[in-house]
Amino acid sequence: MQKQHSIYSLIFTFISMFYYSIVCAQIEQKNKFKIQGYGEMYYSESFPNFETSEKPDFIFNHKKNNSLSVNLAFIKASYTKQNFRSTISMMFGDYSRYNLQNEPNWAKPILEANAGFKISKTKNIWIDAGVLPSHIGFESAISTDCHTLTRSILAENSPYFETGLKITYTSKSETFYGSVLIVNGWQKIETSKFTKHPALGFQLNFKPSTFLTLNYSNFFGTEKADSLHSFRLFHNLYAIYEPNKKISCISGLDIGTDKYNKSKYGVWFSPVIILRYKPKDKISVALREEYYSDPNQLMIITNTKNGFQTFGTSINFDFQIANNFLWRIEGKSYLARDTIFNNSNTLNIITSSIAIKI
């Protein structure tokens, strides 16, 4: 484990030193070197109120109750030049605190740290390695890039990031994108001491028209100790339909299987649909309907008879105060089969945020 720790530390140190040299040696080529910043502050209240200041365990973003908090803030540096690209991004906030809580302290501030090379002179084929954004799902950690203020249950309980090697191909017309990945595991930076084998992932993204995107992603790997001989198989599908600038519809489905005891496999799944309407350039509203079924408690542990079987509904209002300044407010309601929310089967949340992106 110490050896693996040293290897990752060396990789991240190398990338950091590389960026420093780029800033110094390529300052005259500012168009190839970019600095970006992002910050999102929010306030949230839940009903019924919880005895603790945090929302339930299946929520990893906008986690705090009744306090003004930072969900995610980061600074990102990226460099591109012909057949080379690299990104490093350091962060803090609730996203880092809760999504990387099982990582070593040296890894917790890392949002991205990767480098890639174009390996073909005639085709758009790249190899990238390091800490990468996840190839799974249509929602990211950056709230302003998503239709809704908070994340769907399926997004919160599938990887936001992954660490490993990725090979990607993009067609000349940019209508097709495909990737193959070898990663440490299910949202991990440091390799688990309980498993010796890496995981695999694939992604196929197709745009048959300018207003339709179809995507399939998957994950194959062991997420429990090798001694349990368990195998996780996970599929993510989604479609994005945008007939014009005012209307957008996203429909998605996650479905996975894994062992829930020494001998039996269980299934979890989650469909979601999000509709967004922009009556004006600076105003948008979004409605989300979702369901998450995990009766065997593979992903979300409730210690109840029926496990986690929950419907979710949310409505979102956004106002673009300025080009880089967004105010949002969202009302969200969960209805569970069992009484998993502070002796209730319902949970209502109101969240408001202000985000700046530069």
Side-chain angles (χ1 to χ4, degrees):
M1 179 61 69
Q2 183 63 38
K3 184 178 180 181
Q4 291 173 340
H5 183 125
S6 300
I7 291 172
Y8 282 119
S9 298
L10 181 62
I11 291 173
F12 296 133
T13 301
F14 171 79
I15 292 175
S16 300
M17 291 175 65
F18 174 81
Y19 265 102
Y20 180 77
S21 67
I22 291 294
V23 173
C24 295
Q26 304 290 338
I27 193 168
E28 74 279 2
Q29 301 181 31
K30 293 182 179 179
N31 60 314
K32 297 177 181 178
F33 180 74
K34 293 182 180 180
I35 296 288
Q36 296 173 288
Y38 176 83
E40 181 195 10
M41 184 169 286
Y42 74 96
Y43 181 84
S44 187
E45 287 198 17
S46 300
F47 310 93
N49 289 320
F50 288 92
E51 295 178 359
T52 65
S53 61
E54 298 177 348
K55 296 186 180 72
D57 291 342
F58 68 91
I59 297 174
F60 297 91
N61 284 277
H62 308 94
K63 182 81 170 179
K64 296 291 187 179
N65 272 322
N66 307 317
S67 64
L68 192 63
S69 304
V70 174
N71 186 59
L72 175 64
F74 67 80
I75 185 167
K76 176 179 179 180
S78 59
Y79 177 77
T80 58
K81 185 180 180 181
Q82 294 179 337
N83 63 342
F84 178 81
R85 62 191 180 193
S86 185
T87 297
I88 188 166
S89 182
M90 309 302 289
M91 64 175 172
F92 69 91
D94 284 2
Y95 170 84
S96 173
R97 184 177 302 111
Y98 296 105
N99 280 282
L100 287 83
Q101 60 185 326
N102 295 322
E103 298 290 344
N105 290 332
W106 60 267
K108 290 179 180 178
I110 299 172
L111 179 62
E112 287 185 65
N114 53 74
F117 295 89
K118 188 178 181 181
I119 60 174
S120 173
K121 292 183 179 180
T122 58
K123 304 291 184 180
N124 195 5
I125 303 174
W126 289 77
I127 294 181
D128 295 273
V131 182
L132 302 156
S134 175
H135 70 290
I136 294 171
F138 54 85
E139 294 178 283
S140 74
I142 304 172
S143 182
T144 55
D145 291 345
C146 302
H147 284 10
T148 57
L149 191 165
T150 64
R151 303 291 70 79
S152 306
I153 306 174
L154 60 79
E156 290 281 63
N157 294 276
S158 60
Y160 283 109
F161 63 88
E162 52 207 2
T163 305
L165 182 72
K166 177 172 70 171
I167 301 175
T168 61
Y169 166 74
T170 305
S171 65
K172 189 174 182 180
S173 62
E174 298 186 348
T175 58
F176 175 79
Y177 168 91
S179 66
V180 180
L181 302 97
I182 303 174
V183 296
N184 282 353
W186 186 267
Q187 189 164 282
K188 288 184 175 69
I189 293 180
E190 187 176 60
T191 305
S192 172
K193 63 182 179 181
F194 301 108
T195 59
K196 297 180 181 179
H197 306 289
L200 298 176
F202 299 90
Q203 181 179 12
L204 300 173
N205 188 283
F206 179 53
K207 297 180 179 179
S209 67
T210 56
F211 53 82
L212 181 63
T213 299
L214 303 174
N215 188 91
Y216 168 72
S217 302
N218 60 26
F219 174 94
F220 305 84
T222 299
E223 282 307 299
K224 302 182 186 298
D226 287 343
S227 59
L228 296 176
H229 304 289
S230 177
F231 183 77
R232 176 170 296 180
L233 176 59
F234 176 81
H235 307 275
N236 162 254
L237 303 96
Y238 67 82
I240 302 175
Y241 177 67
E242 297 177 316
N244 53 56
K245 293 181 179 180
K246 290 188 175 184
I247 298 173
S248 178
C249 176
I250 302 175
S251 58
L253 174 67
D254 281 5
I255 182 168
T257 62
D258 206 337
K259 272 188 177 180
Y260 63 90
N261 60 30
K262 292 184 178 180
S263 60
K264 295 182 179 179
Y265 275 84
V267 177
W268 79 92
F269 67 93
S270 179
V272 61
I273 185 167
I274 302 173
L275 302 173
R276 185 180 69 177
Y277 176 62
K278 299 184 71 172
K280 295 183 179 181
D281 289 340
K282 294 185 177 182
I283 294 175
S284 67
V285 292
L287 175 67
R288 172 175 55 200
E289 296 289 341
E290 59 182 328
Y291 177 66
Y292 201 98
S293 176
D294 185 12
N296 301 119
Q297 303 175 59
L298 288 158
M299 302 301 297
I300 304 172
I301 298 173
T302 64
N303 295 316
T304 59
K305 178 182 178 181
N306 298 294
F308 190 85
Q309 299 186 59
T310 303
F311 288 94
T313 299
S314 72
I315 187 167
N316 200 91
F317 176 83
D318 299 349
F319 179 63
Q320 194 78 46
I321 299 172
N323 288 338
N324 300 322
F325 201 30
L326 178 66
W327 174 73
R328 317 183 84 176
I329 187 168
E330 178 190 86
K332 180 164 60 177
S333 181
Y334 294 122
L335 175 62
R337 185 171 180 179
D338 294 339
T339 56
I340 62 175
F341 304 123
N342 197 22
N343 296 320
S344 174
N345 68 335
T346 61
L347 174 64
N348 302 297
I349 303 172
I350 296 177
T351 306
S352 182
S353 73
I354 290 181
I356 184 168
K357 193 174 184 180
I358 55 175

